[in-house]
């Protein structure tokens, strides 16, 4: 049985193809259109999935949309009536769009399917709709390695639900309890993202990265004024401080008065108060999530936890859940946001609608997230020749030795191999790599390669067998979704002067023997790399370890700020020539910046809207 899952029309549109219960390909539309968080119908992603799989469109048994648009419309109407006459302006702006397109979204989806796949098939007969949170829950439970599990979904809002708990057993997945809009941890975090001058649905991870520069001075203020937390772990927001139900703004003047601070103007300087607010928000989020987890574990007695929804991308909170010991095992869907809804929609239809039994795929069902396009040597040569690139073809072992040698010389390397990752993380197939031992590398990569804010941390990719030698982590983290501290033995002894620094001044203090991947609070967002999971990447890090005695590389996504992660060789070369990357490796082809035609250099980062 072949099932196509799709998510679209909000942000991070995506498509996924499931064959007999196995995820065989998945990709986000943004990677093909080069529009960050592209919300349009995922035509290119769908076409890729069918081409990659070798199936014809007529072979698709069901197409599953990841949510129910009409119930969303119901929420819009009921929310307006609850807050009327407040919110009339935003209501009036959204209503024509809903009346024109979204109420009749089934017709729109059928038209799009007919346009991209052909009208020979009656797509209306094959189209199904999943619940938004069920799609998230299915994306977390069914690919997980567990026979049964508690599944926790936390995001902004689906149709109505914002926080949901499901129980998974065998091929069944049943709702246990939920919290509904407007009470939402995701929207709470997004409200602060907005207040701190970052983009909603894009900048939340910046707030998480900013938090360690501050102190949680406003923890009690937030807990006592903005959110009410019950003994059973449930919560509600004090809507007097928020505007997202009634306007296009997330917070109001009362919110600003609470912190005695106006909303930060985007791209303006950050001050210590901004950092303290970020730290306080993160602390509150972790406190609430741990309370929810503790109560759910007590009630259900489940030993395994699966996580999905946008809040599950908060890897600092995930690390707290793991360290709490509440659960024996924790598995996070690597595409936890709306893109992953395409995966869950397809899997929920396969198991729940069609009643198919669940099969386990080792070590899980996500294939390391390597579910996107890959390119043959002939395709790479064709695209590089078309771009006018100068390149060298090496044997694999020679390429790995040369790339490792460049990294040991503290060159920044663009690394493109095999199938593209699905989800927001680059995991060694579309990555920018560097030497973590360099005290200057974090700042150089941020400012000269990624063209982004200097405070943002980078992640380490570490050989699995060396993880516990460097980090306080006792398990694998292949999807870069857990944060843990650097081991004491690898930390530097700081001077009294350094110990007394705070805020952004901490950025210039090397905290460990791998300062480029050690955040200011000694933490790191860790990717563990095994030979089974990614053989070529494992060999590269191993060779770097042979040269340096360090089994770790800096790993950040292969893109600049505001750009989707590169997909094609053409994308990779353009980013290479538009940034201060020194070396580009695509499969076994290697390119050096100083050998490229000077006219190919460009002011690349200006091509993209800031995220």
């Amino acid at each position: 049985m072949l099932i196509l899952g799709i998510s679209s029309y909000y942000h991070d549109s995506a498509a996924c193809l499931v064959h007999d219960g196995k995820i065989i390909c998945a990709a986000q539309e943004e990677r093909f259109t080069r529009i960050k968080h592209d919300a349009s119908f995922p035509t290119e992603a769908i076409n890729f999935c069918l081409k990659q799989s070798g199936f014809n469109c007529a072979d698709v048994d069901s197409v599953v949309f990841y949510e129910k648009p009409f119930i969303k419309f119901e929420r819009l109407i009921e929310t307006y009536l609850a807050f009327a006459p407040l919110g009339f302006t935003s209501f009036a702006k959204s209503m024509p769009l809903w009346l024109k397109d979204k109420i009749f979204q089934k017709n729109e989806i059928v038209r799009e399917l007919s346009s991209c796949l052909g009208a020979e098939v009656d797509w209306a007969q094959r189209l199904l709709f999943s619940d938004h949170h069920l799609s998230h829950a299915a994306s977390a439970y069914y690919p997980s390695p567990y026979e049964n599990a508690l599944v926790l979904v936390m995001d902004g809002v689906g149709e109505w639900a914002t926080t949901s708990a499901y129980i998974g057993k065998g091929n069944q997945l049943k709702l246990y309890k939920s919290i509904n809009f407007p009470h939402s941890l995701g929207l709470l975090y997004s409200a602060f993202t907005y207040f701190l001058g970052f983009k909603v649905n894009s900048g939340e991870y910046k707030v998480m990265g900013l938090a360690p520069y501050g102190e949680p001075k406003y923890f009690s203020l937030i807990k006592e004024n903005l959110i009410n937390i019950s003994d059973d772990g449930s919560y509600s927001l004090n809507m007097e401080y928020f505007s997202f139900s009634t306007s296009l703004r997330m917070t109001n003047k009362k919110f600003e008065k609470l912190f005695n601070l106006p909303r930060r103007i985007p791209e303006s300087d950050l001050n210590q108060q901004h950092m303290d607010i970020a730290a306080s928000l993160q602390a509150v989020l972790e406190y609430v999530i741990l309370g929810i987890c503790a109560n759910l574990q007590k009630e259900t007695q489940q030993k395994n936890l699966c996580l999905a929804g946008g809040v599950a991308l908060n890897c600092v909170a995930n690390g707290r859940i793991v360290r709490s010991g509440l659960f024996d095992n924790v598995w996070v869907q690597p595409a936890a946001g709306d893109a992953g809804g395409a995966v869950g929609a397809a899997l929920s239809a396969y198991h729940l609608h069609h009643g198919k039994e669940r099969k386990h795929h080792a070590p899980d069902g996500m294939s390391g997230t390597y579910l996107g396009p890959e390119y043959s040597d002939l395709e790479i040569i064709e695209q590089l020749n078309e771009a006018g690139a100068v390149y060298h073809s090496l044997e694999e072992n020679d390429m790995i030795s040369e790339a490792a040698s460049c990294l040991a010389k503290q060159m920044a390397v663009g690394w493109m191999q095999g199938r593209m990752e699905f989800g927001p993380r680059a995991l060694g197939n579309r990555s920018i790599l560097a030497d973590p031992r360099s005290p200057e590398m974090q700042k150089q990569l941020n400012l000269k390669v990624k063209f982004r804010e200097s405070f943002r941390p980078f992640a380490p990719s570490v050989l699995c067998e060396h993880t516990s030698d460097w980090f306080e982590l006792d398990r694998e983290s292949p999807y870069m979704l857990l944060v843990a501290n650097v081991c004491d033995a690898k930390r530097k002894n700081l001077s009294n002067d350094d110990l007394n620094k705070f805020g952004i001044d901490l950025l210039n203090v090397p905290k460990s023997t791998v300062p480029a991947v050690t955040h200011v609070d000694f933490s790191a967002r860790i990717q563990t790399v095994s030979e089974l999971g990614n053989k070529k990447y494992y060999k590269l890090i191993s060779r770097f370890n042979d040269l340096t005695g360090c089994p770790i590389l800096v790993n950040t996504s292969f893109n600049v700020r505001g750009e989707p992660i590169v997909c094609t060789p053409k994308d990779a070369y353009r980013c290479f020539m538009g940034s201060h990357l020194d070396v580009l490796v695509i499969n076994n082809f290697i390119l050096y910046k100083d050998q490229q035609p000077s006219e190919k250099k460009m002011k690349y980062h200006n091509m993209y809207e800031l995220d």
Side-chain angles (χ1 to χ4, degrees):
M1 177 171 281
L2 192 67
I3 300 181
L4 174 67
I6 53 177
S7 62
S8 63
Y9 301 131
Y10 182 49
H11 60 94
D12 295 316
S13 294
C16 168
L17 206 57
V18 169
H19 181 233
D20 290 342
K22 180 177 173 60
I23 304 164
I24 56 175
C25 40
Q28 293 119 288
E29 187 72 0
E30 67 165 19
R31 306 294 170 84
F32 305 98
T33 63
R34 313 308 299 157
I35 300 170
K36 189 79 168 177
H37 303 302
D38 194 346
S40 61
F41 189 82
T43 300
E44 298 294 333
I46 290 172
N47 287 332
F48 150 71
C49 284
L50 285 171
K51 181 181 177 182
Q52 176 75 25
S53 69
F55 288 104
N56 297 316
C57 58
D59 298 322
V60 177
D61 296 286
S62 298
V63 179
V64 194
F65 193 69
Y66 80 127
E67 64 181 9
K68 297 178 177 178
F70 199 83
I71 300 178
K72 266 197 165 183
F73 178 67
E74 176 188 79
R75 168 169 57 83
L76 184 72
I77 295 291
E78 290 193 25
T79 300
Y80 171 66
L81 292 175
F83 288 93
L86 294 174
F88 176 77
T89 301
S90 62
F91 178 80
K93 285 182 178 179
S94 64
M95 195 50 51
L97 179 62
W98 275 95
L99 294 174
K100 179 176 179 290
D101 295 320
K102 294 194 175 184
I103 292 182
F104 306 104
Q105 210 158 66
K106 180 177 180 179
N107 295 338
E108 174 68 15
I109 293 167
V110 169
R111 281 196 299 271
E112 292 284 4
L113 288 169
S114 298
S115 176
C116 73
L117 297 180
E120 306 83 35
V121 175
D122 184 356
W123 294 110
Q125 293 298 313
R126 303 191 189 187
L127 182 60
L128 302 171
F129 290 83
S130 177
D131 176 85
H132 186 104
H133 270 219
L134 176 61
S135 294
H136 277 314
S139 79
Y141 172 61
Y142 290 119
S144 80
Y146 314 135
E147 289 286 351
N148 52 75
L150 170 68
V151 186
L152 181 58
V153 177
M154 299 172 289
D155 65 1
V157 60
E159 290 86 359
W160 277 101
T162 64
T163 301
S164 299
Y166 290 76
I167 303 295
K169 184 177 182 180
N171 72 335
Q172 293 299 299
L173 186 59
K174 295 181 179 179
L175 179 65
Y176 178 69
K177 60 170 60 174
S178 65
I179 297 171
N180 286 347
F181 180 88
H183 310 294
S184 167
L185 290 179
L187 290 175
L188 173 69
Y189 213 90
S190 292
F192 276 90
T193 300
Y194 169 87
F195 181 65
L196 291 172
F198 302 116
K199 278 191 176 181
V200 172
N201 293 327
S202 173
E204 284 80 1
Y205 59 92
K206 298 184 185 182
V207 177
M208 182 179 68
L210 187 65
Y213 292 94
E215 297 291 333
K217 296 178 179 179
Y218 301 99
F219 177 87
S220 295
L221 187 74
I222 295 171
K223 191 165 164 285
E224 292 168 6
N225 292 276
L226 300 184
I227 185 168
N228 177 57
I229 306 163
S230 302
D231 292 339
D232 65 355
S234 63
Y235 64 89
S236 61
L237 301 185
N238 183 349
M239 295 307 297
E240 294 178 14
Y241 292 90
F242 302 97
S243 300
F244 55 77
S245 291
T246 58
S247 78
L248 301 178
R249 302 173 78 244
M250 295 295 293
T251 57
N252 57 28
K253 292 297 182 182
K254 189 170 183 178
F255 191 101
E256 295 181 1
K257 187 176 180 181
L258 182 67
F259 292 97
N260 193 28
L261 185 73
R263 180 196 174 214
R264 173 179 166 255
I265 298 171
E267 304 305 314
S268 63
D269 290 340
L270 289 156
N271 62 39
Q272 191 59 46
Q273 188 176 2
H274 296 133
M275 299 172 196
D276 292 339
I277 290 171
S280 305
L281 169 65
Q282 182 66 32
V284 169
L285 180 79
E286 293 170 21
Y287 178 86
V288 177
I289 290 175
L290 285 175
I292 291 171
C293 287
N295 280 276
L296 287 173
Q297 199 287 320
K298 183 179 179 180
E299 291 175 4
T300 66
Q301 294 297 299
Q302 292 288 328
K303 299 297 184 183
N304 302 315
L305 175 67
C306 300
L307 294 169
V311 178
L313 292 172
N314 192 300
C315 48
V316 179
N318 296 344
R320 285 289 305 275
I321 294 171
V322 168
R323 292 193 298 276
S324 73
L326 288 166
F327 301 92
D328 293 344
N329 303 292
V330 178
W331 192 86
V332 186
Q333 164 56 243
D338 276 8
V343 171
L347 290 172
S348 66
Y350 182 79
H351 294 293
L352 299 178
H353 180 79
H354 293 290
K356 299 295 185 180
E357 290 303 307
R358 186 169 172 232
K359 299 175 183 178
H360 287 279
H361 305 279
D364 59 44
M366 288 301 295
S367 300
T369 75
Y370 307 119
L371 296 164
E374 62 183 332
Y375 297 87
S376 67
D377 285 351
L378 286 176
E379 289 173 314
I380 294 166
I381 289 169
E382 181 181 355
Q383 291 194 30
L384 290 179
N385 285 341
E386 185 179 342
V390 177
Y391 57 89
H392 308 274
S393 178
L394 303 176
E395 294 296 321
E396 180 175 304
N397 287 337
D398 293 334
M399 177 278 291
I400 287 172
S401 292
E402 177 62 15
S405 177
C406 291
L407 288 163
K409 295 172 185 174
Q410 300 192 357
M411 296 181 180
V413 175
W415 178 259
M416 175 179 167
Q417 304 292 328
R419 294 186 69 174
M420 181 179 66
E421 300 91 338
F422 177 63
R425 305 284 180 244
L427 299 171
N429 278 13
R430 300 291 189 279
S431 294
I432 291 173
L433 308 175
D435 186 344
R437 301 169 302 158
S438 167
E440 300 298 323
M441 189 59 70
Q442 182 199 2
K443 186 180 292 186
Q444 289 177 3
L445 284 178
N446 269 328
L447 299 180
K448 293 186 177 181
V449 177
K450 300 284 282 188
F451 303 111
R452 69 184 198 183
E453 301 94 338
S454 62
F455 69 82
R456 289 165 60 180
F458 289 104
S461 291
V462 58
L463 297 178
C464 255
E465 61 270 28
H466 292 283
T467 304
S468 60
D469 298 332
W470 291 80
F471 304 102
E472 295 174 356
L473 186 66
D474 62 356
R475 64 195 68 203
E476 293 190 15
S477 176
Y479 299 127
M480 205 185 285
L481 285 167
L482 296 177
V483 163
N485 285 340
V486 174
C487 290
D488 287 343
K490 303 300 182 182
R491 299 184 187 185
K492 291 208 178 265
N493 292 321
L494 302 182
S495 67
N496 287 333
D497 184 49
D498 286 338
L499 287 170
N500 290 327
K501 290 180 179 177
F502 60 91
I504 209 69
D505 290 337
L506 292 169
L507 182 64
N508 299 316
V509 180
K511 293 296 190 84
S512 76
T513 55
V514 282
V517 295
T518 305
H519 208 6
V520 294
D521 58 352
F522 294 104
S523 69
R525 188 182 72 204
I526 299 160
Q527 179 198 7
T528 57
V529 181
S530 68
E531 189 170 13
L532 178 65
N534 190 327
K535 187 174 182 179
K536 189 177 281 190
Y537 193 35
Y538 179 88
K539 288 170 69 175
L540 175 68
I541 303 174
S542 296
R543 182 62 182 140
F544 181 79
N545 186 36
D546 292 340
L547 294 173
T548 65
C550 178
I552 301 170
L553 286 176
V554 176
N555 177 11
T556 186
S557 55
F558 196 161
N559 60 339
V560 300
R561 183 183 176 192
E563 178 192 21
I565 295 173
V566 301
C567 176
T568 67
K570 181 181 177 181
D571 297 335
Y573 185 72
R574 189 169 57 240
C575 187
F576 172 58
M577 294 305 295
S579 66
H580 289 271
L581 285 171
D582 302 299
V583 177
L584 172 62
V585 181
I586 307 177
N587 285 9
N588 293 332
F589 298 92
I590 190 163
L591 298 82
Y592 303 95
K593 179 64 67 63
D594 58 10
Q595 295 180 0
Q596 304 307 307
S598 59
E599 67 270 16
K600 297 296 179 181
K601 294 181 181 179
M602 62 184 79
K603 291 186 177 180
Y604 181 60
H605 60 289
N606 294 328
M607 295 172 60
Y608 296 97
E609 182 181 348
L610 295 180
D611 63 359

